[in-house]
Amino acid sequence: MERDFAGRVALVTGASGGIGRATAQMFAARGAKVAVVDVKDAEGAETVDLIRRAGGEAFYMRVDVSDEAAVRAMVEKTVATYGGLNHAVNNAGILGQFMPLHMIETSKFDQIIAVNLRGVFLGMKYQIAHMLEHGGGTIVNVSSAAGLHAQPNLAAYSASKHGVLGLTRTAGVEYAAKGIRINSVHPGGVITPMTTAIFASMSEEARKAAQEVPDQHPLGRSAQPEEQAAVICFLSSDAASNVVAAAFSVDGGLTQV
Ligand SMILES: NC(=O)c1ccc[n+]([C@@H]2O[C@H](COP(=O)([O-])OP(=O)(O)OC[C@H]3O[C@@H](n4cnc5c(N)ncnc54)[C@H](O)[C@@H]3O)[C@@H](O)[C@H]2O)c1
């Protein structure tokens, strides 16, 4: 693998599993030193272990992305540990239960917005402040296909992911001329702990019914986390030097039908 991130520092939130872990591993394999951020400590340590065993460099930090003081400290600790921050990926997120809007507990709505939207806002706020003072950088925010089109029975999640698109587009334009490229990715279904947990929470009957629904992705399948990581790393790389404020669908065509 090309080591085009050698000498760079990357920070990935939600990197204890799924898309975040695959992204942290890919950054490391391409030469970056990686700050692995999550609230699942054992799995975060496992991500670091996987990276180190493959010859890469990483450390784990427990940070709740909805906690402002913790997010400020996250950027400070990354810079103190590795001497800078060139590439940030705001990926941490939660889904919530599938249910119609009027059934959603208001506290649950607030929690989903706090992690998925406030978390991305806080991440960007402190990442951008650092990058402005230190020669620029890149930020990729992980939204969703649900940030581009309706996602029935996931109103809070869909609203939070549409919000991530608004933050990305606006900040992407605000900071483009200042050397910070900000873009979002919008995955369709990806096989990760998040989606596995949905099936696990279903009754046997509901699971069977769900498995009988034909796959909605024109590609005919869900994605692997590595397919998302490849696009996130592309957007972070110099190969994407002209890509700014873009919403990248990585969804097997899901949002085009
Ligand atoms: N899996 C999919 O089908 C899919 C589709 C579209 C978008 N996404 C988005 O991709 C991102 C990654 O999801 P994934 O599928 O890899 O799921 P995942 O559950 O494996 O990963 C999400 C990670 O975020 C962490 N996290 C949750 N709350 C946090 C908090 N407050 N602070 C710090 N970390 C926190 C979790 O511990 C977890 O490790 C999420 O933003 C998700 O919404 C996933």
Side-chain angles (χ1 to χ4, degrees), residues 14-20 37-40 63-66 91-94 115 142-145 157 161 187-195:
S16 284
I19 296 168
V37 173
D38 210 289
V39 286
K40 287 187 189 154
V63 175
D64 175 348
V65 295
S66 66
N91 163 77
I94 53 175
V115 176
V142 180
S143 175
S144 172
Y157 180 78
K161 294 299 189 179
V190 190
I191 299 159
T192 68
M194 181 182 276
T195 41

Side-chain angles (χ1 to χ4, degrees), residues 7-33:
R8 310 263 186 93
V9 179
L11 181 158
V12 184
T13 71
S16 284
I19 296 168
R21 173 180 283 177
T23 302
Q25 287 180 291
M26 197 169 288
F27 266 115
R30 288 168 62 168
K33 294 175 184 172

Side-chain angles (χ1 to χ4, degrees), residues 144-145 148 184-190 217 223-224 226-232 235 247-255:
S144 172
L148 295 172
S184 55
V185 291
H186 298 258
V190 190
H217 301 81
Q224 293 297 327
E226 293 72 21
E227 295 179 283
Q228 302 296 324
V231 178
I232 294 168
L235 289 171
F248 254 67
S249 290
V250 195
D251 65 0
L254 181 68
T255 46

Side-chain angles (χ1 to χ4, degrees), residues 71 116 139 160 170 189 195:
V71 172
N116 294 4
I139 299 176
S160 72
T170 304
T195 41

Side-chain angles (χ1 to χ4, degrees), residues 86-115:
N86 307 102
H87 308 290
V89 180
N90 295 307
N91 163 77
I94 53 175
L95 190 65
Q97 301 280 314
F98 284 79
M99 61 181 70
L101 187 150
H102 72 281
M103 309 270 294
I104 300 172
E105 293 286 347
T106 306
S107 61
K108 198 68 202 170
F109 178 86
D110 290 344
Q111 188 196 359
I112 291 168
I113 296 294
V115 176

